[in-house]
Amino acid sequence: IDPNVANARVTLVTHTKIPPEMAYDVLESVLHSRGFMMVKTLDGLLTKVVPFNEATEKIPLVKGAAVVTPAYDEVQTHIVNIQYADAAELATILKVVGSKQAIIDAYQRTNTLIITDTADGLRRIFTFLEEIDVPGYDTQMEVFTLQYARAEVIAQQIEQVLMDGGDTQAAA
């Protein structure tokens, strides 16, 4: 047992008795508040208590945002493809949304986020992503072939409309 865990004292104050089925989740939350996490190993037969920043190789890896563990402080790593927003920009923003231990990296080639956080932090991050990763901010371009006008004249007229804020009375 890590000396930092063995020597730590924690006082739990509750209004009712903690049911036995919640004991594991309570212990996990207490450890998380002290910078530790519980990692299942040996196909779930053994649970180790390790510092949060040293446990990344044993954290379950999940593709997508759909399956978040129902626990509160259990840690998972999710690989999430971003459709509309820029993953690198989101990586910076999402660090504020998740828990303080959240690790968020962007793989720009595929516009993918790699997110490691607690279940509660993941739920907050994925709720935020649902709102922010939406169509509408991408740029579209169309090419028009002009038959009876010169491109330079049309460009000047469009620029004038955009610079004047669309004030058509000033042009008249």
Side-chain angles (χ1 to χ4, degrees), residues 50-100:
V50 295
F52 190 88
N53 57 357
E54 294 178 13
T56 55
E57 74 275 357
K58 298 288 185 183
I59 296 173
L61 186 62
V62 181
K63 184 176 181 187
V67 184
V68 176
T69 180
Y72 183 77
D73 283 319
E74 188 173 327
V75 177
Q76 290 181 322
T77 297
H78 284 252
I79 301 171
V80 182
N81 292 323
I82 303 300
Q83 292 181 327
Y84 305 104
D86 180 56
E89 289 180 22
L90 285 178
T92 305
I93 296 168
L94 291 175
K95 290 179 182 177
V96 176
V97 177
S99 72
K100 64 182 179 180

Side-chain angles (χ1 to χ4, degrees), residues 11-107:
T11 302
L12 291 176
V13 178
T14 64
H15 297 288
T16 60
K17 288 184 176 182
I18 297 173
E21 62 272 7
M22 284 186 62
Y24 186 89
D25 293 333
V26 170
L27 176 61
E28 191 169 43
S29 289
V30 169
L31 289 169
H32 185 262
S33 72
R34 301 289 184 161
F36 292 90
M37 62 180 281
M38 296 169 63
V39 178
K40 293 179 183 176
T41 187
L42 296 175
D43 295 327
L45 298 175
L46 177 67
T47 301
K48 296 192 296 188
V49 176
V50 295
F52 190 88
N53 57 357
E54 294 178 13
T56 55
E57 74 275 357
K58 298 288 185 183
I59 296 173
L61 186 62
V62 181
K63 184 176 181 187
V67 184
V68 176
T69 180
Y72 183 77
D73 283 319
E74 188 173 327
V75 177
Q76 290 181 322
T77 297
H78 284 252
I79 301 171
V80 182
N81 292 323
I82 303 300
Q83 292 181 327
Y84 305 104
D86 180 56
E89 289 180 22
L90 285 178
T92 305
I93 296 168
L94 291 175
K95 290 179 182 177
V96 176
V97 177
S99 72
K100 64 182 179 180
Q101 287 94 357
I103 301 168
I104 303 171
D105 291 309
Y107 183 63

